[in-house]
Amino acid sequence: MNLPYAEPYKTKMVEYIKPSTLEERKKWIAEAHYNLFNLTSDKVFIDLLTDSGTGAMSDKQWAEMMLGDESYAGSQSYLKLKDVVERITGFPFFLPTHQGRAAENVLFSVLVKEGDVVPGNAHFDTTKGHIEFRKATALDCTIDEAFDTIIHHPFKGNIDTAKLEDAFSNNPNERIPFVVLTVTCNTAGGQPVSMENIKEVSRICKKYNTPLIIDAARFAENAYFIKIREKGYEDKSIKEISRELFSYADGMTMSAKKDGLVNMGGFIALRDEELYKQATVFNIMYEGFLTYGGMNGRDMGALAVGLDEATEFDYLETRINQVAFLGEQLVKHGIPVIQPFGGHAIFLDANKFVPTIPRDEYRAQALAIELYIEGGIRGVEIGTILADRDPFTHKNRYPELELVRLAIPRRTYSLNHMRYIAAVLKKIYDTRDQAKRGYRIVDEAPIMRHFTVKLEKISPEPTK
Ligand code: F0G
């Protein structure tokens, strides 16, 4: 008999979280203009807003913090990190940045011009934001299966290579500065990309002499899925798989807040020295000198250790299985979620959960608000509010999927927390027929509105 898996770590320190009452939460969310980003953390019981920078560091990472070398130039912590990045990714040129979007900002400042087209599997919102801010287009070439929330495809993050070929045929070559491949694909539900697909995308990019850039925020989780699901990788280590994955690309941007197992940080890594040289100019302007780029020495040290820990199989097995445990509980209750389960999060399908709420009343946001009011659980809308308006027509772009993401921080919550979340959701699901109305926007920023948007409840009361 196979033994159940158990966490390959134990607790050395605890952080208390504060329960609250239903009445308190109703008041707090109204004061927050029904935007979960506006809630202060003391008003949240289980925080699933993001898995980004919210994980727990290990004792070895904390120990490394004490060894941080804060020299402005040539820090030893920088050298440690550079070595680990090269060992894990194979990229010889490396620039630290303060987080992932900063890496995008620096690299895209070199590569993206007005009128360009950047194809990829569903771009993350900051990636898209940095492309559109430069008056270029982020072209989504994800496979159609990704939009079917039930169909079991092992690699729903894959690029549809026919769509990618079309992108190259429909645009002059010089208009496509690079292709971006996000592993795992956050916007498509934390779904992985297969090695076969990465290879094929790389082959197409080479054919058109176009660089392939990996958005590597969750590369280790992607490598785990390749090991578990793709033939020929069963016996390879996560580090071997990661190294192979990066070998097909020309560079990467990294939000180290995910698979770097740190609370803040990021980097760019590249194969080409010339591109690196161009990027250094923007790194110095926007981030900091080449050997710190917006990071403390101690944080670079912790990241060096974190990258090694995140690419260990035992850690990843616990991580991915904890997320799947929550997913299985929800499926047992009949709750519609994206399947197969993503690596870092479970995604509730609001189109199926609350079809009674009109789409232009932001049904996924309405569900996320209900989850907070009912259980003090903070998820995040990945639907019409996040998709934002078309930059040219300024009208809402309705994405195919209206989701609520429950992102699980790494090494932070227990299985009991997962059981609690499932119980709260079951309660909401059992009374879902009463949900009729949603919310209207009363204030929104010109770009990336979801962070600061203010909403108003449409009466009659949407739920309860
Ligand atoms: N790329 C992906 C795939 C991401 O998921 C994120 C961040 C970024 C880039 C940007 O990195 O936050 O360090 O600037 N995702 C977070 C999330 C915010 O909640 O999914 P960052």
Side-chain angles (χ1 to χ4, degrees), residues 49-52 98-104 122-127 182-187 215-218 253-258 264-266 344 380 382 405 407 451:
L49 184 69
T50 180
D51 62 320
S52 180
H98 79 271
Q99 61 183 93
R101 69 199 69 185
E104 291 165 356
H123 308 64
F124 182 66
D125 58 330
T126 58
T127 319
T182 305
V183 299
T184 57
C185 188
N186 189 2
T187 308
D215 175 345
R218 300 178 182 83
T253 56
M254 176 76 187
S255 168
K257 302 168 73 172
K258 286 89 170 170
M264 190 57 70
H344 66 294
V380 71
I382 308 235
R405 185 183 74 172
F451 290 121

mmCIF file of all heavy atoms in Angstrom, residues 49-52 98-104 122-127 182-187 215-218 253-258 264-266 344 380 382 405 407 451, ligand 1:
data_model
loop_
_atom_site.group_PDB
_atom_site.id
_atom_site.type_symbol
_atom_site.label_atom_id
_atom_site.label_comp_id
_atom_site.label_asym_id
_atom_site.label_seq_id
_atom_site.Cartn_x
_atom_site.Cartn_y
_atom_site.Cartn_z
ATOM 1 N N LEU A 49 -5.632 35.605 -1.627
ATOM 2 C CA LEU A 49 -5.576 36.633 -2.662
ATOM 3 C C LEU A 49 -4.496 36.286 -3.671
ATOM 4 O O LEU A 49 -4.659 36.452 -4.863
ATOM 5 C CB LEU A 49 -5.266 37.985 -2.009
ATOM 6 C CG LEU A 49 -5.263 39.202 -2.919
ATOM 7 C CD1 LEU A 49 -6.664 39.533 -3.406
ATOM 8 C CD2 LEU A 49 -4.680 40.415 -2.196
ATOM 9 N N THR A 50 -3.396 35.816 -3.155
ATOM 10 C CA THR A 50 -2.283 35.476 -4.051
ATOM 11 C C THR A 50 -1.331 34.489 -3.383
ATOM 12 O O THR A 50 -1.275 34.399 -2.147
ATOM 13 C CB THR A 50 -1.504 36.749 -4.455
ATOM 14 O OG1 THR A 50 -0.440 36.374 -5.327
ATOM 15 C CG2 THR A 50 -0.942 37.484 -3.260
ATOM 16 N N ASP A 51 -0.608 33.790 -4.217
ATOM 17 C CA ASP A 51 0.482 32.927 -3.735
ATOM 18 C C ASP A 51 1.800 33.673 -3.931
ATOM 19 O O ASP A 51 2.864 33.076 -3.876
ATOM 20 C CB ASP A 51 0.505 31.622 -4.535
ATOM 21 C CG ASP A 51 0.777 31.865 -6.011
ATOM 22 O OD1 ASP A 51 0.242 32.847 -6.565
ATOM 23 O OD2 ASP A 51 1.548 31.092 -6.622
ATOM 24 N N SER A 52 1.724 34.962 -4.191
ATOM 25 C CA SER A 52 2.899 35.740 -4.566
ATOM 26 C C SER A 52 3.485 36.476 -3.370
ATOM 27 O O SER A 52 2.871 37.419 -2.855
ATOM 28 C CB SER A 52 2.496 36.742 -5.645
ATOM 29 O OG SER A 52 3.601 37.505 -6.031
ATOM 30 N N HIS A 98 13.394 44.173 -8.605
ATOM 31 C CA HIS A 98 12.708 44.081 -7.306
ATOM 32 C C HIS A 98 11.524 43.129 -7.325
ATOM 33 O O HIS A 98 11.119 42.610 -6.294
ATOM 34 C CB HIS A 98 12.336 45.466 -6.764
ATOM 35 C CG HIS A 98 11.120 46.071 -7.388
ATOM 36 N ND1 HIS A 98 11.179 46.845 -8.525
ATOM 37 C CD2 HIS A 98 9.819 46.005 -7.050
ATOM 38 C CE1 HIS A 98 9.964 47.238 -8.845
ATOM 39 N NE2 HIS A 98 9.116 46.737 -7.982
ATOM 40 N N GLN A 99 10.922 42.862 -8.473
ATOM 41 C CA GLN A 99 9.917 41.804 -8.590
ATOM 42 C C GLN A 99 9.712 41.483 -10.067
ATOM 43 O O GLN A 99 10.444 41.990 -10.923
ATOM 44 C CB GLN A 99 8.617 42.160 -7.864
ATOM 45 C CG GLN A 99 7.881 43.390 -8.350
ATOM 46 C CD GLN A 99 6.636 43.677 -7.484
ATOM 47 O OE1 GLN A 99 6.722 44.438 -6.534
ATOM 48 N NE2 GLN A 99 5.507 43.062 -7.816
ATOM 49 N N GLY A 100 8.700 40.650 -10.365
ATOM 50 C CA GLY A 100 8.540 40.160 -11.733
ATOM 51 C C GLY A 100 8.197 41.234 -12.744
ATOM 52 O O GLY A 100 8.753 41.282 -13.842
ATOM 53 N N ARG A 101 7.272 42.118 -12.376
ATOM 54 C CA ARG A 101 6.843 43.144 -13.342
ATOM 55 C C ARG A 101 7.979 44.126 -13.632
ATOM 56 O O ARG A 101 8.021 44.742 -14.689
ATOM 57 C CB ARG A 101 5.585 43.852 -12.837
ATOM 58 C CG ARG A 101 5.775 44.706 -11.648
ATOM 59 C CD ARG A 101 4.465 45.000 -10.953
ATOM 60 N NE ARG A 101 3.915 43.797 -10.316
ATOM 61 C CZ ARG A 101 2.738 43.739 -9.720
ATOM 62 N NH1 ARG A 101 1.972 44.794 -9.674
ATOM 63 N NH2 ARG A 101 2.315 42.617 -9.154
ATOM 64 N N ALA A 102 8.894 44.256 -12.683
ATOM 65 C CA ALA A 102 10.058 45.122 -12.900
ATOM 66 C C ALA A 102 10.967 44.478 -13.944
ATOM 67 O O ALA A 102 11.536 45.164 -14.802
ATOM 68 C CB ALA A 102 10.797 45.327 -11.583
ATOM 69 N N ALA A 103 11.076 43.164 -13.886
ATOM 70 C CA ALA A 103 11.855 42.439 -14.901
ATOM 71 C C ALA A 103 11.204 42.642 -16.268
ATOM 72 O O ALA A 103 11.894 42.878 -17.267
ATOM 73 C CB ALA A 103 11.912 40.950 -14.540
ATOM 74 N N GLU A 104 9.879 42.582 -16.297
ATOM 75 C CA GLU A 104 9.169 42.818 -17.566
ATOM 76 C C GLU A 104 9.439 44.241 -18.056
ATOM 77 O O GLU A 104 9.716 44.470 -19.234
ATOM 78 C CB GLU A 104 7.657 42.633 -17.361
ATOM 79 C CG GLU A 104 7.260 41.190 -17.087
ATOM 80 C CD GLU A 104 5.834 41.062 -16.536
ATOM 81 O OE1 GLU A 104 5.158 42.091 -16.291
ATOM 82 O OE2 GLU A 104 5.400 39.911 -16.336
ATOM 83 N N ALA A 122 -1.901 32.636 -22.669
ATOM 84 C CA ALA A 122 -2.542 33.765 -21.988
ATOM 85 C C ALA A 122 -1.574 34.561 -21.103
ATOM 86 O O ALA A 122 -1.069 34.051 -20.107
ATOM 87 C CB ALA A 122 -3.717 33.239 -21.172
ATOM 88 N N HIS A 123 -1.326 35.802 -21.472
ATOM 89 C CA HIS A 123 -0.357 36.646 -20.760
ATOM 90 C C HIS A 123 -0.904 37.022 -19.381
ATOM 91 O O HIS A 123 -2.085 37.318 -19.237
ATOM 92 C CB HIS A 123 -0.100 37.954 -21.511
ATOM 93 C CG HIS A 123 0.275 37.777 -22.957
ATOM 94 N ND1 HIS A 123 -0.559 37.229 -23.888
ATOM 95 C CD2 HIS A 123 1.416 38.108 -23.614
ATOM 96 C CE1 HIS A 123 0.051 37.214 -25.063
ATOM 97 N NE2 HIS A 123 1.244 37.736 -24.931
ATOM 98 N N PHE A 124 -0.036 37.047 -18.398
ATOM 99 C CA PHE A 124 -0.450 37.562 -17.086
ATOM 100 C C PHE A 124 -0.725 39.060 -17.205
ATOM 101 O O PHE A 124 -0.218 39.718 -18.110
ATOM 102 C CB PHE A 124 0.632 37.281 -16.031
ATOM 103 C CG PHE A 124 0.197 37.751 -14.665
ATOM 104 C CD1 PHE A 124 -0.873 37.144 -14.026
ATOM 105 C CD2 PHE A 124 0.829 38.811 -14.047
ATOM 106 C CE1 PHE A 124 -1.308 37.606 -12.788
ATOM 107 C CE2 PHE A 124 0.401 39.269 -12.806
ATOM 108 C CZ PHE A 124 -0.665 38.665 -12.176
ATOM 109 N N ASP A 125 -1.531 39.611 -16.292
ATOM 110 C CA ASP A 125 -1.983 41.004 -16.473
ATOM 111 C C ASP A 125 -0.865 42.040 -16.460
ATOM 112 O O ASP A 125 -0.933 43.028 -17.190
ATOM 113 C CB ASP A 125 -3.120 41.375 -15.515
ATOM 114 C CG ASP A 125 -2.769 41.215 -14.066
ATOM 115 O OD1 ASP A 125 -1.945 40.340 -13.764
ATOM 116 O OD2 ASP A 125 -3.326 41.928 -13.225
ATOM 117 N N THR A 126 0.206 41.821 -15.679
ATOM 118 C CA THR A 126 1.291 42.817 -15.709
ATOM 119 C C THR A 126 2.068 42.708 -17.024
ATOM 120 O O THR A 126 2.553 43.708 -17.557
ATOM 121 C CB THR A 126 2.280 42.639 -14.538
ATOM 122 O OG1 THR A 126 2.836 41.326 -14.586
ATOM 123 C CG2 THR A 126 1.616 42.850 -13.191
ATOM 124 N N THR A 127 2.166 41.480 -17.532
ATOM 125 C CA THR A 127 2.859 41.266 -18.813
ATOM 126 C C THR A 127 2.086 41.987 -19.911
ATOM 127 O O THR A 127 2.650 42.743 -20.703
ATOM 128 C CB THR A 127 2.930 39.749 -19.126
ATOM 129 O OG1 THR A 127 3.233 39.038 -17.935
ATOM 130 C CG2 THR A 127 3.962 39.447 -20.181
ATOM 131 N N THR A 182 4.341 31.518 -20.621
ATOM 132 C CA THR A 182 4.191 31.628 -19.177
ATOM 133 C C THR A 182 4.007 30.231 -18.582
ATOM 134 O O THR A 182 3.059 29.531 -18.936
ATOM 135 C CB THR A 182 2.993 32.535 -18.835
ATOM 136 O OG1 THR A 182 3.192 33.791 -19.487
ATOM 137 C CG2 THR A 182 2.864 32.759 -17.346
ATOM 138 N N VAL A 183 4.932 29.832 -17.709
ATOM 139 C CA VAL A 183 4.878 28.486 -17.112
ATOM 140 C C VAL A 183 4.841 28.608 -15.591
ATOM 141 O O VAL A 183 5.675 29.294 -15.048
ATOM 142 C CB VAL A 183 6.092 27.644 -17.558
ATOM 143 C CG1 VAL A 183 6.115 27.466 -19.063
ATOM 144 C CG2 VAL A 183 7.417 28.234 -17.115
ATOM 145 N N THR A 184 3.867 27.992 -14.950
ATOM 146 C CA THR A 184 2.590 27.545 -15.472
ATOM 147 C C THR A 184 1.785 28.758 -15.923
ATOM 148 O O THR A 184 2.110 29.876 -15.529
ATOM 149 C CB THR A 184 1.779 26.800 -14.390
ATOM 150 O OG1 THR A 184 1.633 27.697 -13.265
ATOM 151 C CG2 THR A 184 2.469 25.561 -13.896
ATOM 152 N N CYS A 185 0.740 28.524 -16.705
ATOM 153 C CA CYS A 185 -0.016 29.660 -17.235
ATOM 154 C C CYS A 185 -1.072 30.108 -16.214
ATOM 155 O O CYS A 185 -2.120 29.484 -16.075
ATOM 156 C CB CYS A 185 -0.666 29.268 -18.561
ATOM 157 S SG CYS A 185 -1.422 30.674 -19.363
ATOM 158 N N ASN A 186 -0.744 31.161 -15.518
ATOM 159 C CA ASN A 186 -1.596 31.675 -14.438
ATOM 160 C C ASN A 186 -2.986 32.028 -14.956
ATOM 161 O O ASN A 186 -4.006 31.590 -14.409
ATOM 162 C CB ASN A 186 -0.899 32.906 -13.839
ATOM 163 C CG ASN A 186 -1.550 33.412 -12.577
ATOM 164 O OD1 ASN A 186 -2.519 32.849 -12.088
ATOM 165 N ND2 ASN A 186 -1.021 34.495 -12.035
ATOM 166 N N THR A 187 -3.022 32.806 -16.036
ATOM 167 C CA THR A 187 -4.297 33.317 -16.543
ATOM 168 C C THR A 187 -5.203 32.179 -17.035
ATOM 169 O O THR A 187 -6.422 32.293 -16.992
ATOM 170 C CB THR A 187 -4.029 34.348 -17.663
ATOM 171 O OG1 THR A 187 -3.105 35.303 -17.140
ATOM 172 C CG2 THR A 187 -5.280 35.067 -18.103
ATOM 173 N N ASP A 215 8.152 33.383 -19.115
ATOM 174 C CA ASP A 215 7.715 34.020 -17.869
ATOM 175 C C ASP A 215 7.710 32.884 -16.852
ATOM 176 O O ASP A 215 6.818 32.042 -16.845
ATOM 177 C CB ASP A 215 6.318 34.632 -18.051
ATOM 178 C CG ASP A 215 5.772 35.200 -16.746
ATOM 179 O OD1 ASP A 215 6.323 34.885 -15.673
ATOM 180 O OD2 ASP A 215 4.783 35.948 -16.799
ATOM 181 N N ALA A 216 8.742 32.865 -16.013
ATOM 182 C CA ALA A 216 9.069 31.657 -15.247
ATOM 183 C C ALA A 216 8.556 31.672 -13.806
ATOM 184 O O ALA A 216 9.003 30.859 -12.991
ATOM 185 C CB ALA A 216 10.579 31.475 -15.260
ATOM 186 N N ALA A 217 7.610 32.549 -13.487
ATOM 187 C CA ALA A 217 7.166 32.706 -12.093
ATOM 188 C C ALA A 217 6.938 31.356 -11.396
ATOM 189 O O ALA A 217 7.314 31.174 -10.242
ATOM 190 C CB ALA A 217 5.903 33.559 -12.047
ATOM 191 N N ARG A 218 6.346 30.393 -12.112
ATOM 192 C CA ARG A 218 6.024 29.099 -11.482
ATOM 193 C C ARG A 218 6.655 27.942 -12.266
ATOM 194 O O ARG A 218 6.028 26.915 -12.501
ATOM 195 C CB ARG A 218 4.505 28.953 -11.355
ATOM 196 C CG ARG A 218 3.884 30.063 -10.487
ATOM 197 C CD ARG A 218 2.377 29.979 -10.372
ATOM 198 N NE ARG A 218 1.831 31.075 -9.575
ATOM 199 C CZ ARG A 218 1.570 32.297 -10.064
ATOM 200 N NH1 ARG A 218 1.781 32.570 -11.340
ATOM 201 N NH2 ARG A 218 1.076 33.234 -9.265
ATOM 202 N N THR A 253 11.904 36.097 -17.638
ATOM 203 C CA THR A 253 11.645 37.047 -16.562
ATOM 204 C C THR A 253 11.107 36.229 -15.408
ATOM 205 O O THR A 253 10.434 35.226 -15.611
ATOM 206 C CB THR A 253 10.601 38.107 -16.970
ATOM 207 O OG1 THR A 253 9.412 37.439 -17.397
ATOM 208 C CG2 THR A 253 11.112 39.012 -18.081
ATOM 209 N N MET A 254 11.450 36.627 -14.201
ATOM 210 C CA MET A 254 11.061 35.816 -13.040
ATOM 211 C C MET A 254 10.486 36.688 -11.948
ATOM 212 O O MET A 254 11.091 37.680 -11.554
ATOM 213 C CB MET A 254 12.306 35.097 -12.493
ATOM 214 C CG MET A 254 12.070 34.290 -11.233
ATOM 215 S SD MET A 254 11.221 32.738 -11.631
ATOM 216 C CE MET A 254 10.888 32.086 -9.995
ATOM 217 N N SER A 255 9.308 36.310 -11.469
ATOM 218 C CA SER A 255 8.817 36.842 -10.219
ATOM 219 C C SER A 255 9.222 35.842 -9.156
ATOM 220 O O SER A 255 8.632 34.765 -9.047
ATOM 221 C CB SER A 255 7.291 36.984 -10.250
ATOM 222 O OG SER A 255 6.841 37.235 -8.931
ATOM 223 N N ALA A 256 10.255 36.180 -8.385
ATOM 224 C CA ALA A 256 10.798 35.240 -7.399
ATOM 225 C C ALA A 256 9.861 35.040 -6.214
ATOM 226 O O ALA A 256 10.095 34.190 -5.362
ATOM 227 C CB ALA A 256 12.158 35.747 -6.923
ATOM 228 N N LYS A 257 8.782 35.817 -6.184
ATOM 229 C CA LYS A 257 7.805 35.739 -5.095
ATOM 230 C C LYS A 257 6.987 34.455 -5.155
ATOM 231 O O LYS A 257 6.230 34.158 -4.252
ATOM 232 C CB LYS A 257 6.878 36.952 -5.169
ATOM 233 C CG LYS A 257 7.649 38.264 -5.097
ATOM 234 C CD LYS A 257 6.796 39.458 -5.461
ATOM 235 C CE LYS A 257 5.826 39.775 -4.357
ATOM 236 N NZ LYS A 257 5.125 41.058 -4.620
ATOM 237 N N LYS A 258 7.115 33.739 -6.258
ATOM 238 C CA LYS A 258 6.396 32.463 -6.381
ATOM 239 C C LYS A 258 7.409 31.328 -6.168
ATOM 240 O O LYS A 258 7.713 30.980 -5.043
ATOM 241 C CB LYS A 258 5.720 32.365 -7.757
ATOM 242 C CG LYS A 258 4.478 33.239 -7.896
ATOM 243 C CD LYS A 258 4.818 34.608 -8.376
ATOM 244 C CE LYS A 258 3.607 35.423 -8.758
ATOM 245 N NZ LYS A 258 3.971 36.825 -9.006
ATOM 246 N N MET A 264 9.820 38.900 -1.651
ATOM 247 C CA MET A 264 9.986 39.968 -2.644
ATOM 248 C C MET A 264 11.228 39.672 -3.485
ATOM 249 O O MET A 264 12.224 39.189 -2.954
ATOM 250 C CB MET A 264 10.146 41.324 -1.917
ATOM 251 C CG MET A 264 10.094 42.534 -2.808
ATOM 252 S SD MET A 264 8.575 42.659 -3.790
ATOM 253 C CE MET A 264 7.365 43.043 -2.524
ATOM 254 N N GLY A 265 11.143 39.970 -4.758
ATOM 255 C CA GLY A 265 12.316 39.784 -5.615
ATOM 256 C C GLY A 265 11.954 39.304 -7.006
ATOM 257 O O GLY A 265 10.832 38.853 -7.255
ATOM 258 N N GLY A 266 12.899 39.459 -7.899
ATOM 259 C CA GLY A 266 12.701 39.003 -9.269
ATOM 260 C C GLY A 266 14.010 39.076 -10.014
ATOM 261 O O GLY A 266 15.029 39.517 -9.459
ATOM 262 N N HIS A 344 -0.971 26.268 -8.487
ATOM 263 C CA HIS A 344 -0.875 27.175 -7.341
ATOM 264 C C HIS A 344 -2.223 27.601 -6.810
ATOM 265 O O HIS A 344 -2.297 28.328 -5.819
ATOM 266 C CB HIS A 344 -0.073 28.424 -7.714
ATOM 267 C CG HIS A 344 -0.755 29.294 -8.750
ATOM 268 N ND1 HIS A 344 -0.969 28.896 -10.042
ATOM 269 C CD2 HIS A 344 -1.269 30.549 -8.662
ATOM 270 C CE1 HIS A 344 -1.574 29.870 -10.709
ATOM 271 N NE2 HIS A 344 -1.766 30.875 -9.895
ATOM 272 N N VAL A 380 -9.581 36.101 -5.280
ATOM 273 C CA VAL A 380 -9.483 37.231 -6.204
ATOM 274 C C VAL A 380 -10.236 36.940 -7.499
ATOM 275 O O VAL A 380 -10.235 35.803 -7.984
ATOM 276 C CB VAL A 380 -8.011 37.601 -6.472
ATOM 277 C CG1 VAL A 380 -7.302 36.560 -7.321
ATOM 278 C CG2 VAL A 380 -7.885 38.967 -7.123
ATOM 279 N N ILE A 382 -10.838 36.766 -11.309
ATOM 280 C CA ILE A 382 -10.091 36.729 -12.579
ATOM 281 C C ILE A 382 -11.179 36.667 -13.631
ATOM 282 O O ILE A 382 -11.542 35.594 -14.119
ATOM 283 C CB ILE A 382 -9.150 35.503 -12.652
ATOM 284 C CG1 ILE A 382 -8.265 35.434 -11.412
ATOM 285 C CG2 ILE A 382 -8.354 35.508 -13.960
ATOM 286 C CD1 ILE A 382 -6.795 35.377 -11.593
ATOM 287 N N ARG A 405 -10.145 33.071 -8.163
ATOM 288 C CA ARG A 405 -8.936 32.288 -7.889
ATOM 289 C C ARG A 405 -8.704 32.192 -6.395
ATOM 290 O O ARG A 405 -8.737 33.202 -5.675
ATOM 291 C CB ARG A 405 -7.734 32.966 -8.544
ATOM 292 C CG ARG A 405 -6.469 32.138 -8.399
ATOM 293 C CD ARG A 405 -5.260 32.831 -8.977
ATOM 294 N NE ARG A 405 -4.813 33.928 -8.132
ATOM 295 C CZ ARG A 405 -3.686 34.598 -8.320
ATOM 296 N NH1 ARG A 405 -2.915 34.310 -9.350
ATOM 297 N NH2 ARG A 405 -3.337 35.580 -7.523
ATOM 298 N N ALA A 407 -5.754 31.243 -4.471
ATOM 299 C CA ALA A 407 -4.320 30.945 -4.593
ATOM 300 C C ALA A 407 -3.791 30.512 -3.225
ATOM 301 O O ALA A 407 -4.055 31.166 -2.216
ATOM 302 C CB ALA A 407 -3.570 32.173 -5.094
ATOM 303 N N PHE A 451 -6.932 46.651 -9.160
ATOM 304 C CA PHE A 451 -6.308 46.927 -7.864
ATOM 305 C C PHE A 451 -7.056 48.003 -7.080
ATOM 306 O O PHE A 451 -7.137 47.943 -5.865
ATOM 307 C CB PHE A 451 -4.851 47.379 -8.058
ATOM 308 C CG PHE A 451 -3.937 46.279 -8.522
ATOM 309 C CD1 PHE A 451 -3.235 46.394 -9.712
ATOM 310 C CD2 PHE A 451 -3.772 45.134 -7.761
ATOM 311 C CE1 PHE A 451 -2.390 45.392 -10.144
ATOM 312 C CE2 PHE A 451 -2.929 44.114 -8.178
ATOM 313 C CZ PHE A 451 -2.236 44.243 -9.379
HETATM 314 N N1 F0G B 1 4.044 36.677 -14.366
HETATM 315 C C1 F0G B 1 3.165 35.853 -13.780
HETATM 316 C C2 F0G B 1 2.800 34.563 -14.434
HETATM 317 C C3 F0G B 1 2.599 36.215 -12.565
HETATM 318 O O1 F0G B 1 1.705 35.402 -12.001
HETATM 319 C C4 F0G B 1 2.988 37.431 -11.958
HETATM 320 C C5 F0G B 1 2.402 37.839 -10.692
HETATM 321 C C6 F0G B 1 3.922 38.245 -12.598
HETATM 322 C C7 F0G B 1 4.428 37.836 -13.818
HETATM 323 C C8 F0G B 1 4.369 39.555 -12.025
HETATM 324 O O2 F0G B 1 5.198 39.354 -10.952
HETATM 325 O O3 F0G B 1 3.997 40.302 -8.958
HETATM 326 O O4 F0G B 1 6.437 39.848 -8.909
HETATM 327 O O5 F0G B 1 5.551 41.726 -10.232
HETATM 328 N N2 F0G B 1 1.410 37.312 -10.196
HETATM 329 C C9 F0G B 1 0.829 37.601 -8.917
HETATM 330 C C10 F0G B 1 -0.423 36.800 -8.771
HETATM 331 C C11 F0G B 1 0.643 39.036 -8.600
HETATM 332 O O6 F0G B 1 -1.140 37.030 -7.787
HETATM 333 O O7 F0G B 1 -0.681 35.899 -9.569
HETATM 334 P P1 F0G B 1 5.286 40.362 -9.695
#
